Amino acid sequence: MLNIKKFIVNPIQENCFVVSDETRECVIIDCGAVYADEYDAISRYINEEKLTPVHLLCTHGHFDHCIGNEWVNSTYGLSPEIGGADVFLLNKMDEQVMMFFGVKSDIGCPRPSNILKDGDTISFGTHQLLVMATPGHTPGGVVFFCEAEKVVFTGDTLFRMSMGRTDLEGGNWQDICHSLTKVIATLPHDTTAYCGHGPETTIGYEVRHNPCLR
């Protein structure tokens, strides 16, 4: 059984997840934490649950999902794992912060330890996450699907009743429509989707009600 803990972090209210199972191994997905109290909350949870982080996973390279990667690296010795076409975004963290907030930032990002490809599997504890390529919001966007538990971490590809924007660098409207209708919508309808912002949903609900999946 998966234990999924959500932390809502940074000014953009991004969802960072710590996902573990009975072995106490865990993965950290989309660490957008930027403030000291956010770091403290994540590390306190990991310590209290006696977890061992073994992967730092990124659904895509936007700063609000990756700005905490340096902290994870210095705290747990993990480097980000991300789709290859999004590595350029990790190298532009400062530019992204400047574009959104108009302030200079000296927060860097460790070099990726693993370039994720469609069909890869991420193993931790007794579970596996299938990497599924979902370009559109960014060119190298991916989602992480656990078939055994019927959960998927969608980043900013899918939101409840919405989808990610495509007007940022590397975004592509046709690509995200394809990712939603030909990848996301093919998952079992009772799969719970943990989105990059906002509440959870199910694939079945989105197929029935989300105009972006039609």
Side-chain angles (χ1 to χ4, degrees):
M1 178 178 177
L2 288 182
N3 299 305
I4 301 171
K5 177 67 173 178
K6 178 170 72 174
F7 298 87
I8 302 175
V9 296
N10 72 46
I12 303 183
Q13 299 286 280
E14 182 263 337
N15 295 332
C16 168
F17 298 98
V18 177
V19 185
S20 61
D21 67 12
E22 65 278 0
T23 70
R24 305 289 182 179
E25 286 192 344
C26 71
V27 298
I28 301 172
I29 300 176
D30 285 358
C31 189
V34 67
Y35 299 121
D37 62 332
E38 296 170 348
Y39 299 149
D40 290 344
I42 295 170
S43 61
R44 184 167 58 251
Y45 173 77
I46 289 173
N47 291 337
E48 289 176 351
E49 297 297 319
K50 298 180 172 58
L51 302 180
T52 301
V54 294
H55 292 284
L56 171 58
L57 304 178
C58 306
T59 59
H60 64 290
H62 284 156
F63 81 95
D64 56 319
H65 292 251
C66 296
I67 202 165
N69 285 353
E70 189 171 76
W71 171 77
V72 174
N73 181 257
S74 63
T75 305
Y76 300 109
L78 300 176
S79 296
E81 303 176 48
I82 192 170
D86 270 16
V87 173
F88 81 101
L89 289 169
L90 296 185
N91 298 328
K92 301 174 72 171
M93 202 70 62
D94 291 352
E95 293 180 36
Q96 293 189 58
V97 173
M98 175 62 75
M99 182 183 72
F100 272 85
F101 296 114
V103 296
K104 291 185 177 180
S105 167
D106 60 358
I107 297 178
C109 187
R111 295 183 63 179
S113 61
N114 186 22
I115 300 302
L116 302 175
K117 301 180 293 299
D118 186 54
D120 284 353
T121 55
I122 304 295
S123 297
F124 68 101
T126 61
H127 287 82
Q128 289 188 327
L129 299 175
L130 174 66
V131 178
M132 305 176 74
T134 53
H137 179 61
T138 62
V142 298
V143 302
F144 302 107
F145 173 52
C146 181
E147 182 178 10
E149 303 284 350
K150 292 188 178 178
V151 299
V152 62
F153 299 89
T154 64
D156 288 2
T157 298
L158 175 71
F159 302 134
R160 188 179 187 278
M161 289 297 291
S162 187
M163 69 178 193
R165 59 193 292 183
T166 59
D167 59 329
L168 300 174
E169 184 176 9
N172 185 287
W173 171 266
Q174 290 181 325
D175 285 349
I176 199 170
C177 289
H178 182 273
S179 293
L180 288 167
T181 59
K182 304 302 182 183
V183 180
I184 298 291
T186 66
L187 295 175
H189 283 198
D190 56 347
T191 299
T192 300
Y194 291 86
C195 309
H197 302 268
E200 294 79 47
T201 185
T202 67
I203 299 302
Y205 181 88
E206 298 306 313
V207 168
R208 292 191 301 272
H209 301 291
N210 188 335
C212 305
L213 271 71
R214 296 177 184 171

